[in-house]
Amino acid sequence: MRRNEASAAGYEPPRYRAPDDAPWYHVLHGNVPEHQIDVMYGPEVPQGSLTPTHLSHLARLMKYIEPQTNGTHAFVIGNLSRDDTQHEAGHGAISLIFAFRIGGATDHAGRGHPPFAHGIAAVDREVRPASLLEAAITFHRHTMNAGESDSPASAFYRAYVRAVLERPESVSRVLARYVEAFDDLPRLPPSDLSWAWVADAAAQPRQVVIVHDDDEPFGAIASVASRLAAVLFRSNIKWTAISTGREAGIPGGLSVRLVAERHVATEERQGRLLRLEEVPGDEAEIARTVFGARPYGAERERSKPVGWRERYGAQGALDAGAPEGAARTGPEAQAVRREEAAAAAAPAGARAAAAEGEQEERPPVVERPLARRWVWRVVVGASAAVAAAASVLGVLSDPAREEERGDVAAPPAAVMKDEPAIEAPAPPPARVGTSSPEAPPAATGGAQAAQRRGTQRGPARWTRRRTPPPAAESSETAGPTVFDSPPVFE
C-alpha cells in the first residue's frame, strides 16, 4: 500500500478543547499533504453549545467557498442552524469564514494554488450588526495584509505543510499557535434576542444578488453583510450563507451574494438584484425591501378575526378613499389597512366576541324577487298535480291488467272448484264434450290437452276477482261438463 493511501485510510484531524466560556470556535480546512482536502484542525464535539451538526455545516461551507477569479479571498457569513429541528430565531449558530487560494504553492499531486479556509463559529451568542462587523474586521486583519501574497494565512499554510512532511510531531503546536493569535476577537455575550421578523416561505427567492463597485473596500462590504445577517438571524427565513465568492447558490435555502460589477453573470441580473448603496441602514427596512419580511408582532395583529359585515364595510371605506398619509405600497400593505379599518369599524362587543370565538357568523339572506317566487310556486304545484294524476291512472289501470292476466292464464276447473266464491269459466260450446254416444273420442283428448296447457303456463298472480253472482241454472242451458258423469250407452 502506498503512503498516501495508508494516510488517507487512517487520517484523523487534530482536535482541541476550548474554554467553557469561549465565544468563538476555530476550524481550519484545506489541502492536507499526502491526504486530500479535509478538516485540518477543529474543536472536540460536542463541546458547550457546539454540536456535530454545527461542525458538519461549517465544514461543508468551507469546502465549497471559492474566491472570485483573480481575487485574493472570499468572505462568508454562514448559517449553521439551517437544519436544526429545535431552532429558535435569535438563538442559532453563525460563522465567519475566509477562503483563500495559496499562491506560489502546490499540493502533493502537483496542483497549484491549493485551497485553505479558516472559519470561526459562535453558538447562541448575541448577533448585532456592530459586533458582527467588528468581528469581521478583526478577523480580516489577522488573515490578510491588504491582499498581499505573503499574508499571515499564506505564511501559516506553508509552515503547516513543512511540519506535516518534515516534523509531524510539531503539527499540533503549529496549529495551536496560529489559533491563539485570534484571542482579540470581540466577545459576544449570550443571546437574549427574540423572534423579530417573519416572511412567507413561498414568496422567498432562491438568491439575492447585491452588486458593488470593483474597488469597493472590504469595510463597506462587511458592513452590509453584517446588517443582512443580523436580520436573518432573528427571522424565520431558511438561509444558507452571505458570500462574496464565486460558488453557485448553495442549495437548501436563501443565499445572498455580494458581487463586484465585473463578476455579475447574465442570469443573475434577471433575479432580485440590488446595488450596495440601495441596501437600507435600518433593520426594519432591510427586512421589508430585501427579504419581504414583516415584524413578528404585526402578523398577530393582522390575523385578528372580524365579522363579514365589518370586513366589507371597511373595504367600502377604503375604496371610497384612503386616509391622508396612508402609503399604498403593495397588496400586503393594503391587506393590513383593510384589517385595521375593519377592527376600528367593529363595535367593541362584536370585536371581543369574534376574538373569543363566541359569535357565529351567518351569511346574509338573499331574498328572491316576487316574480321568481310566483314562477317557482307554479312549477312546484304543476309537478305535484302531474305526479298525483299519474298515480291515479296507475291505480285505475291495475284491475284491467289483472282482468287480462286472469283471462289468459285462468286456473283449471279442478283447481278452482274447491273455492265456492270463484267459479271456473264454462268452456265454449264447440269444445264441450257430452255423454251422448255420438261424441268422438278426440273431443275428450282435446279437453285433457287444454287442461295440461293451462297448468304449464308461467306463474301468474292469482287474485280474487269481483264477479257478479251466477244466474239461476235452467234446464235449457244446464248440461254436464266434460267427465261430470260417465258416458251412458244404450
Side-chain angles (χ1 to χ4, degrees):
M1 183 180 293
R2 293 180 298 178
R3 179 182 176 186
N4 58 352
E5 293 179 353
S7 60
Y11 175 76
E12 182 66 27
R15 303 286 183 179
Y16 74 94
R17 189 78 184 179
D20 295 338
D21 59 345
W24 300 99
Y25 298 95
H26 293 260
V27 178
L28 308 180
H29 188 281
N31 180 74
V32 179
E34 302 296 337
H35 177 48
Q36 61 185 12
I37 298 176
D38 205 338
V39 175
M40 299 163 52
Y41 191 51
E44 299 177 1
V45 287
Q47 180 177 168
S49 300
L50 185 68
T51 66
T53 302
H54 297 149
L55 189 61
S56 175
H57 280 311
L58 180 56
R60 180 173 177 238
L61 289 173
M62 298 172 74
K63 180 178 180 180
Y64 291 106
I65 298 302
E66 283 285 341
Q68 294 286 351
T69 304
N70 300 325
T72 58
H73 66 279
F75 172 66
V76 179
I77 301 178
N79 178 20
L80 306 184
S81 298
R82 186 193 63 188
D83 297 329
D84 287 359
T85 57
Q86 298 180 349
H87 171 250
E88 182 180 355
H91 295 272
I94 199 168
S95 64
L96 305 180
I97 305 171
F98 276 100
F100 311 92
R101 284 285 182 174
I102 307 301
T106 57
D107 61 10
H108 58 277
R111 295 183 292 263
H113 304 279
F116 168 65
H118 183 179
I120 55 177
V123 184
D124 198 15
R125 295 286 173 168
E126 188 176 276
V127 176
R128 302 279 188 183
S131 58
L132 201 58
L133 176 60
E134 182 185 357
I137 295 296
T138 305
F139 195 16
H140 178 265
R141 185 178 67 250
H142 279 287
T143 55
M144 299 291 297
N145 286 333
E148 296 179 1
S149 58
D150 194 15
S151 63
S154 298
F156 158 74
Y157 181 77
R158 292 186 175 89
Y160 166 75
V161 171
R162 287 194 301 269
V164 171
L165 297 178
E166 301 174 5
R167 299 184 302 276
E169 68 281 358
S170 64
V171 171
S172 298
R173 186 169 59 256
V174 172
L175 294 170
R177 186 166 55 247
Y178 172 73
V179 170
E180 289 173 357
F182 294 84
D183 287 344
D184 59 342
L185 287 170
R187 300 183 63 87
L188 305 182
S191 177
D192 59 354
L193 302 176
S194 59
W195 193 351
W197 316 106
V198 60
D200 299 329
Q204 287 299 311
R206 188 181 65 88
Q207 182 174 261
V208 175
V209 179
I210 299 176
V211 183
H212 58 80
D213 295 336
D214 295 339
D215 56 350
E216 195 75 39
F218 175 77
I221 298 174
S223 176
V224 171
S226 300
R227 296 200 301 270
L228 297 174
V231 172
L232 292 172
F233 187 74
R234 301 182 62 189
S235 73
N236 69 330
I237 299 174
K238 190 175 183 181
W239 63 288
T240 56
I242 303 171
S243 172
T244 65
R246 64 183 175 93
E247 70 284 346
I250 301 173
L254 170 70
S255 61
V256 181
R257 299 190 61 213
L258 295 102
V259 189
E261 181 70 37
R262 66 176 182 271
H263 294 141
V264 180
T266 303
E267 60 273 11
E268 292 174 341
R269 297 184 183 274
Q270 301 175 357
R272 182 174 296 183
L273 188 144
L274 299 172
R275 294 287 306 179
L276 188 73
E277 55 271 15
E278 295 176 350
V279 178
D282 182 64
E283 293 186 21
E285 287 299 313
I286 291 177
R288 184 180 63 84
T289 59
V290 180
F291 303 115
R294 54 189 176 273
Y296 179 67
E299 184 186 39
R300 291 182 176 177
E301 189 69 25
R302 185 168 54 258
S303 62
K304 179 184 294 185
V306 293
W308 65 268
R309 293 182 181 86
E310 292 80 5
R311 185 165 61 251
Y312 287 109
Q315 177 63 44
L318 284 176
D319 294 339
E324 184 177 357
R328 299 180 182 270
T329 57
E332 288 189 0
Q334 294 178 6
V336 173
R337 291 198 301 272
R338 281 195 289 268
E339 296 296 340
E340 291 177 352
R351 289 201 303 270
E356 297 175 3
E358 297 177 356
Q359 180 178 358
E360 181 181 1
E361 296 294 339
R362 295 184 176 87
V365 178
V366 180
E367 296 185 358
R368 298 185 178 91
L370 182 60
R372 292 181 60 184
R373 283 184 287 170
W374 180 81
V375 171
W376 176 256
R377 291 172 182 174
V378 169
V379 171
V380 172
S383 301
V386 171
S391 62
V392 170
L393 292 176
V395 171
L396 293 178
S397 62
D398 284 343
R401 288 195 294 269
E402 295 295 340
E403 187 76 20
E404 295 175 1
R405 284 197 294 269
D407 294 341
V408 174
V415 177
M416 300 297 295
K417 68 181 181 179
D418 295 337
E419 299 184 9
I422 302 176
E423 294 184 2
R431 294 183 180 272
V432 175
T434 61
S435 57
S436 62
E438 289 81 13
T444 61
Q448 293 176 358
Q451 289 181 357
R452 285 194 301 271
R453 284 197 303 272
T455 59
Q456 293 177 359
R457 289 182 179 272
R461 190 172 65 181
W462 299 98
T463 58
R464 186 181 299 274
R465 294 184 298 169
R466 297 180 180 178
T467 55
E473 190 177 278
S474 62
S475 58
E476 297 178 356
T477 60
T481 58
V482 179
F483 302 129
D484 282 347
S485 61
V488 178
F489 301 94
E490 294 180 353

